Amino acid sequence: MIPLDRYQRDKGKPTRVQVYAALRDAIVRGELEPGQQLSENSLAGRIGVSRTPIREAIGRLREDRLVETVPQLGTFVARVNPTAIGDAQFIRESLECAAIRLSAQVAKEEDVAELEENLQGQDRARAAGDLDSFYLLDDSFHHALCDLSGHLSVWIVSERAKAHLNRIRRLSLGMPNYLDEMISEHRLVLDAVAANDPDLAERHLREHLRTVLREVPRMRAEHPDYFEGP
Amino acid sequence: MIPLDRYQRDKGKPTRVQVYAALRDAIVRGELEPGQQLSENSLAGRIGVSRTPIREAIGRLREDRLVETVPQLGTFVARVNPTAIGDAQFIRESLECAAIRLSAQVAKEEDVAELEENLQGQDRARAAGDLDSFYLLDDSFHHALCDLSGHLSVWIVSERAKAHLNRIRRLSLGMPNYLDEMISEHRLVLDAVAANDPDLAERHLREHLRTVLREVPRMRAEHPDYFEGP
DNA sequence: CCTGGGATACTTGTATACTAGGAGCGTGCA
DNA sequence: TGCACGCTCCTAGTATACAAGTATCCCAGG
């Protein structure tokens, strides 16, 4: 259930970081369902380490608001919070749009070539219907665009802040025509960056990011138990 | 040396959160100097709790990049990293400027009145030469402006991301005329918000935030041991 | 049949014991 | 004198033991 092996190739005892990555991924991918309880003891037993590293991993998840823990009672996978999604979207949009303005100004041919290759990979993943690969390529695409700005820590901050948003993103991939839309929007963004046009790049990126957000109501209708509150 | 009592009024055993807040404050205020070693054992003994809550607090500080730990060797207060400052400034600027655009659109009279009161407090703190109070009021001012946007988690993310920047901010307060400059810039921002002018508010805020950044070279000249690498 | 109380089996939080590894110093040998 | 080896102490990392609190189930009693 917890895809630890994806983050732990060396087969030694997993570290807290690997435990964190595995749990986070399992939550974002929906393998651990909202509301489900995460027992430190059973996780420790199943993974084969003591409670200490498990606790540290859960502590990070708590800061990401991916889990909620009630003292002396239990730790539970958080439901998706619509307010948190809105906030995450705002943060993501602010950071990525600001970054891409710089990126568009400094992008060299080789940078564009690399992004181009990624984009073709997205096309292949779509043709193969491989949602997992597409999700990873999508992330790499935005990550690379962000890093081009030179502010490497922006992606790190953004990544942690948009955990709730990622859960929606992951869910949305199954919608019909959604991948086509994503790819053609990525194309527009990349072309603007290649043309070193910050204004156009920002506009297309902002539009693209909001496409994701527009899926929220549909996701909520399809997976009502994923969401919390009003 | 560690002002734990500032975060722990009830005199019970301090929690990990209180330990984190106290250590973070001590580092930002410069009471714990860059390069200084933080021993989990001695901290635990001095504060009167076991290593476990200390470790969790140090774990968060590590994520903030305020400390660096070398396994089996020790944990050390990080030196201020110029790259980290640049990144923090970029993140802060992106988030706060985006937020204030919304804030300026929705600000009501009572919001402005509250900010006005804060601003007068800043004036009193300047007159009294009370840097600590000024720093707190400055933070509240930006915090309140940010929250007006409705995206409450923006401040939380920004706060954690700009830890390195805060260390500079705190150092800069001693510069002559610096407080006057801060206050008059706050005035410009607040007036633009009161006038519900997003563009003007953003422009003044961006200008204000960069004033802080301009102090970095001077701080580096005065406290060379605070900084790392080129 | 319904309700109340208590044992019990969980939970997280904290404290402590143990492990592995690096730093530094002192001693002994060349 | 200088270098090298080894011992000792300290570190973080991990495992385990203990404490405190909550939900649940079962049984007794009305």
Side-chain angles (χ1 to χ4, degrees), chain A residues 31 51 54 76 89 106 114 138 147 193 200 208-209 223:
Chain A
E31 293 165 12
R51 273 182 61 208
I54 302 287
F76 306 88
Q89 172 74 15
V106 302
E114 206 166 317
D138 184 12
D147 277 2
V193 169
L200 189 63
H208 168 56
L209 296 179
H223 306 270

Side-chain angles (χ1 to χ4, degrees), chain B residues 45-62:
Chain B
R46 192 147 14 133
I47 294 180
V49 294
S50 77
R51 274 181 60 207
T52 308
I54 302 286
R55 273 186 65 77
E56 306 205 354
I58 286 184
R60 290 192 65 170
L61 293 172
R62 186 166 42 231

Side-chain angles (χ1 to χ4, degrees), chain A residues 29-49:
Chain A
R29 298 166 59 88
E31 293 165 12
L32 292 173
E33 292 181 6
Q36 180 174 342
Q37 184 165 11
L38 291 182
S39 161
E40 296 181 358
N41 270 320
S42 83
L43 281 176
R46 196 156 1 144
I47 295 180
V49 295

Side-chain angles (χ1 to χ4, degrees), chain A residues 16 52 55-56 60 62-63 65 86-88 90-91 94-95 98-99 102 150-154 156-157 160-161, chain B residues 16 55-56 60 62-63 65 86-88 90-91 94-95 98-99 102 150-154 156-157 160-161:
Chain A
R16 55 186 173 186
T52 308
R55 274 187 66 76
E56 306 204 354
R60 290 192 64 171
R62 187 166 41 232
E63 290 175 15
R65 297 189 176 280
D87 287 359
F90 181 84
I91 291 168
S94 304
L95 292 179
L102 295 182
H151 294 292
L152 267 47
S153 62
V154 170
I156 299 169
V157 171
R160 293 200 68 184
Chain B
R16 56 187 173 184
R55 273 186 65 77
E56 306 205 354
R60 290 192 65 170
R62 186 166 42 231
E63 290 175 16
R65 299 191 175 279
D87 287 359
F90 180 84
I91 291 168
S94 304
L95 292 179
L102 295 183
H151 294 293
L152 267 48
S153 62
V154 170
I156 298 169
V157 170
R160 292 200 68 185

